[in-house]
């Protein structure tokens, strides 16, 4: 992940900093995330591509040997178990570049984060309405 120079302003600028093979993988990950979050808005945050609804759903970034996927996934035991082989030290996921990208898993994880985001938004909207 590039950390010097001006931050990229969009996904294409971000991807352009990597070799063509990594660019192709980044595009696959991006497409999987956007399929799972069709109402999501693409942003660059912390110098990484991210997709947000009310809050950021997921971030992803290319590194020398893997694609990082953030934040750690919680709240669904089945998905946590499916993601466990990819878990890094802090629970963030690392998908090795020399293996097929688990695009179905990435979509499932993004859908979970979208549902969690909507639930948090619904809870805070109900709480705000109830306090008026």
């Amino acid at each position: 992940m590039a950390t010097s120079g001006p931050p990229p302003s969009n996904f294409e600028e971000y991807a352009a900093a990597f070799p063509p093979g990594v660019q192709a993988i980044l595009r696959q990950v991006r497409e999987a995330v956007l399929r799972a979050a069709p109402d999501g808005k693409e942003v660059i945050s912390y110098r990484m591509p991210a997709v947000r609804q009310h809050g950021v759903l997921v971030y992803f970034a290319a590194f020398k040997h893997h694609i990082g996927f953030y934040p750690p996934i919680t709240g669904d035991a089945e998905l946590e178990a499916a993601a466990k082989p990819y878990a890094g030290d802090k629970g963030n996921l690392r998908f090795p570049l020399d293996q097929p990208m688990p695009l179905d898993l990435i979509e499932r994880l993004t859908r979970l984060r979208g549902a969690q985001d909507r639930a948090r938004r619904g809870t805070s909207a109900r709480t705000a309405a109830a306090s008026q």
Side-chain angles (χ1 to χ4, degrees):
M1 183 169 86
T3 58
S4 62
S9 63
N10 58 50
F11 174 82
E12 290 304 327
E13 284 182 16
Y14 177 85
F18 297 94
V22 175
Q23 290 180 31
I25 293 169
L26 282 166
R27 284 187 180 88
Q28 290 174 341
V29 171
R30 175 192 190 204
E31 290 168 8
V33 167
L34 293 175
R35 275 193 303 272
D39 296 327
K41 179 182 179 204
E42 291 184 87
V43 297
I44 297 291
S45 182
Y46 299 105
R47 301 179 81 93
M48 295 182 281
V51 173
R52 63 178 295 121
Q53 284 179 174
H54 302 102
V56 172
L57 301 181
V58 298
Y59 302 85
F60 57 96
F63 294 88
K64 187 173 184 176
H65 299 290
H66 70 276
I67 298 293
F69 194 80
Y70 313 89
I73 302 300
T74 60
D76 182 308
E78 182 181 327
L79 275 177
E80 289 176 40
K84 186 173 181 152
Y86 303 104
D89 297 341
K90 297 179 181 179
N92 297 319
L93 303 178
R94 295 179 179 182
F95 302 119
L97 290 171
D98 63 354
Q99 296 176 16
M101 276 298 115
L103 299 174
D104 179 62
L105 177 62
I106 290 169
E107 284 188 47
R108 292 170 51 212
L109 295 168
T110 303
R111 278 194 295 274
L112 171 64
R113 293 282 301 144
Q116 291 169 336
D117 181 68
R118 286 187 299 279
R120 276 191 305 277
R121 176 69 174 157
T123 299
S124 44
R126 284 191 298 273
T127 302
S131 66
Q132 292 181 0

